[in-house]
Amino acid sequence: MEGALSASGSPLVQVLCGLGGSGKTAIALELVSRRLARAQQVWWVDARQEATLEAGLGAVARQVGVSEDQLRAGDTADVLWSYLAQYKRPWLLVVDNADEPALLDGPGRLREGTGWIRLPADSRGTVLITTRDSTPQTWGSAFRLHPVHPLIGDHVGDAAQILRDHAGETAGPSSDAQRLAQRLGGLPLALRLAGTYLADANKVPAAYREPGTPVDFRSYQAALDRGLEHVDRDKVIAQTWAMSVKLLNQRGLPLAQPLLRLIATFADAPLPYTLLLTPHTLAAAGELADLDGPGVWRLLTALAGLGLIDLQPAGSGALPTLRVHPLVRDASLDQAALGTAINALHSAAFADEIGIPEDPDYWDHWRLLQPHALDLFHRATATELPSQRITDAASAACLAARYLQIKGLYGQARSELETILAHERDILGDTHTNALSTRHELAVVLRELGEVDGARSELEAVLAHRRDALGDTHPDTLITRFELAVVLHGLGEVDRARSELEAVLAHQRDTLGDTHLETLTTRHDLAVVLHELGEVDRARSELEAVLAHRRDALGDTHPHTFTTRHAFAILLRDLGEVDRARSELEAVLAHRCDTLGDTHPYTLTARHDLAVVLHELGEVDRARSELEAVHAHQRDVPGDARPNTRVTR
């Protein structure tokens, strides 16, 4: 970009576009300095208002030789560009703060080349515009847009240096400066204000400082986390965003501000807007409730056009997301929008088209929804929202915790479920359907963590309540009986586990059929129990049947298909078919590495079982290598990592 802008001429009008405070004017000033150093002619015009724009361009016209009579004739734009075409010296015209491009139309149209700003006639002239509007459709083909981004990612070191240059050495080490720079989103305006704030604070003797005044990078960040108003007392940063919002109001988009407030209420994470900001999810969002799809999209693109949000395109097979600059979030955050955000999230999480967290087809959805669900739940419980809103937030958070469990993050899932359960018990009571469902999910996580006694206690309690309220054959009762059987198996009570699984299976066959996915799950686990009881022929027959049905219903690459292949491989090993067992386990391991990652507990289990088979085949060195890899990761992976054998609801 620097090369294109610093050249003495360009066939296109150059446009520096980006978020307010991102440094567009500073870049323009640097280019002005370089041009002046080469004795070139430079003009600077303020385009914030129509009056300043016309006055500035009128002054330029006089300097290039336009007479007062020609100016009074009313064709100033045509005359100005006619004279500029004949101007002999290299020149640069900077049009600063052109945040409302419509002002540049003047007597004609900017995009048609008849407005105030036009293409230079030859390479002696350069036109540079700074603006918040980065929408290509606004400018047209004669304008080359150069986005000016905050100093984040690979440039965070530069952002930290700006802080240190302004704040001085007493404000803290470079590591603290980098953390604060990241928190400020690398915005040059905010970096300069923060550095200057700290430098000024440290000039005041400690005895005269206001209590709690930040004096270093760390305390400044802590104050910012408590609220932007604690460090932006002159409202310089807040007014920067307010100017952009005012501009959208002037363009006839009054709903842009409430939508931005809603967006800022979600977590500081990529926001899947096609899931959370739709006419369906906004149906109860007050003034946003009447928006249709095109209306929502118009507002999103308008916000993005001024840099208030960043619309990130979808990758291959992924969902599109948006991000909000951290300080835009701080300035726009409105706790009154929390209930609306929870309602939108709940509507999205329980929509038919989203799918459950256990379904691999929807893992990408839940990867994006999970941080928002948990963040909104925790914030809801810290406010005085109506109990129904907290209940809705808890329900969505429970789904998010189930996603964490599927991804093998058992400790985090447990912590979230325990918190959810505590609030559900307080609001709904210990035996409410929601509380029982959360206790059930918590028991599953406890089992995965190896706390089988705790899992058993929870499941027995849930089962008693469900039998009393729903009956012995209700689907919810049956799924709890199934999970209890799995735990009993883990505790060594194999005969009782078999009895429970056979009872559950009988009901499922009667009501769901022999090849329903939940029936297949029970058949799978019953086969594993039969294998352990020594009934290998029946176990093999069941696993082969389940595998065939799962392949037919779910496909060869579904995780549950590979779960049965894993169990079948262990059976083959015990039957002496070691080569075939090896082949199956290698396929299982490759799939789990690809879908779950190298350190997921189920991946480690497959690696361990493959190592055992390799040892039996005499490949001792490779077996040792695989086992060492497992042991290296087990310190960081809690739980017993038993392969998942269920398909949850």
Side-chain angles (χ1 to χ4, degrees), residues 216-409:
D216 55 30
F217 300 128
R218 187 170 296 184
S219 58
Y220 188 96
Q221 182 169 343
L224 177 58
D225 289 340
R226 292 196 300 272
L228 182 61
E229 67 276 6
H230 293 288
V231 294
D232 187 30
R233 293 175 182 173
D234 293 330
K235 299 188 181 303
V236 175
I237 297 174
Q239 287 174 3
T240 300
W241 321 132
M243 289 169 60
S244 295
V245 171
K246 182 179 179 181
L247 190 59
L248 292 174
N249 284 332
Q250 292 171 349
R251 294 180 182 181
L253 298 171
L255 295 182
Q257 183 171 21
L259 182 61
L260 180 60
R261 286 174 178 163
L262 176 59
I263 291 170
T265 307
F266 289 99
D268 186 12
L271 185 74
Y273 58 87
T274 57
L275 298 182
L276 291 172
L277 303 177
T278 68
H280 170 69
T281 61
L282 298 176
E287 55 193 326
L288 300 174
D290 292 331
L291 285 170
D292 57 11
V296 175
W297 182 241
R298 184 183 180 204
L299 294 177
L300 289 174
T301 53
L303 290 168
L306 295 185
L308 294 170
I309 63 174
D310 180 18
L311 293 176
Q312 300 173 336
S316 177
L319 293 168
T321 59
L322 66 80
R323 292 300 301 256
V324 185
H325 189 280
L327 295 181
V328 176
R329 180 183 306 281
D330 291 335
S332 306
L333 190 60
D334 183 358
Q335 289 300 325
L338 182 58
T340 302
I342 290 171
N343 188 76
L345 177 72
H346 187 269
S347 297
F350 289 92
D352 292 338
E353 59 269 21
I354 295 296
I356 60 175
E358 291 79 11
D359 189 337
D361 290 341
Y362 296 97
W363 282 354
D364 188 56
H365 292 62
W366 284 103
R367 175 181 61 82
L368 294 168
L369 289 173
Q370 169 256 315
H372 300 288
L374 296 177
D375 180 73
L376 290 178
F377 166 69
H378 288 294
R379 285 161 54 205
T381 57
T383 63
E384 296 183 357
L385 285 177
S387 59
Q388 184 58 53
R389 282 285 175 267
I390 298 176
T391 299
D392 289 346
S395 297
C398 189
L399 290 171
R402 282 165 54 181
Y403 173 77
L404 294 175
Q405 185 257 322
I406 288 296
K407 302 306 287 184
L409 302 172

